[in-house]
Every structure is written in structure tokens, then in C-alpha cells.
Amino acid sequence: MKTQKLALSITEALIIYGLIIVGYGILTIHITQTWSGDWPVDRNIPWLTLDTFVMVSFALSFFAFIAWRYLKNI
């Protein structure tokens, strides 16, 4: 039972923080107008641009939501 509560907490955190990152990314893209996504989030990882980071965060929060619903119904 403790493992399920831990998994629920982790998935809730992934949902919340993933959607916060999506909101931040959309706001930043609109303010700085970097439509091409050529603004690296980290200089050490040049392939990780802001638009890629936002899409990965959205996918992570979406799959975390599915896992959260599944764990909640068990």
C-alpha cells in the first residue's frame, strides 16, 4: 500500500511540474518570439531546444496523468 501512495505522489508531481513547464515554455516562446526553437535550454545539450523541452514535458505529464488515473482506480 505504501508503494502505491508513493507512486501516486510521484505521478501527481510529474503532472503538476510538467504542466508548469509547458506553461512557462509557451509564455517564453510568445514573449521572445523564438518560433524556430533555436534557443537552447542548456548549452551542453544543443539538441534540447525550448520547443522540444515543452513537448517532452507535455508528453511526460500526459503519461503521468494516465498512470495516476490507473493507480487511483486500483
Side-chain angles (χ1 to χ4, degrees):
M1 190 63 167
K2 276 189 160 186
T3 311
Q4 184 178 359
K5 285 187 178 184
L6 176 65
L8 276 171
S9 299
I10 291 172
T11 55
E12 284 177 4
L14 286 175
I15 292 168
I16 292 168
Y17 290 119
L19 291 178
I20 287 172
I21 291 171
V22 169
Y24 163 77
I26 291 172
L27 184 67
T28 304
I29 287 171
H30 279 82
I31 289 174
T32 61
Q33 295 182 357
T34 56
W35 309 114
S36 62
D38 59 353
W39 183 46
V41 177
D42 188 1
R43 299 287 180 210
N44 298 326
I45 309 173
W47 58 266
L48 184 62
T49 57
L50 185 63
D51 55 344
T52 307
F53 187 60
V54 169
M55 288 187 292
V56 169
S57 297
F58 180 75
L60 182 67
S61 66
F62 179 73
F63 290 121
F65 177 72
I66 292 172
W68 177 72
R69 289 293 302 241
Y70 175 74
L71 289 170
K72 201 171 175 186
N73 287 331
I74 292 180

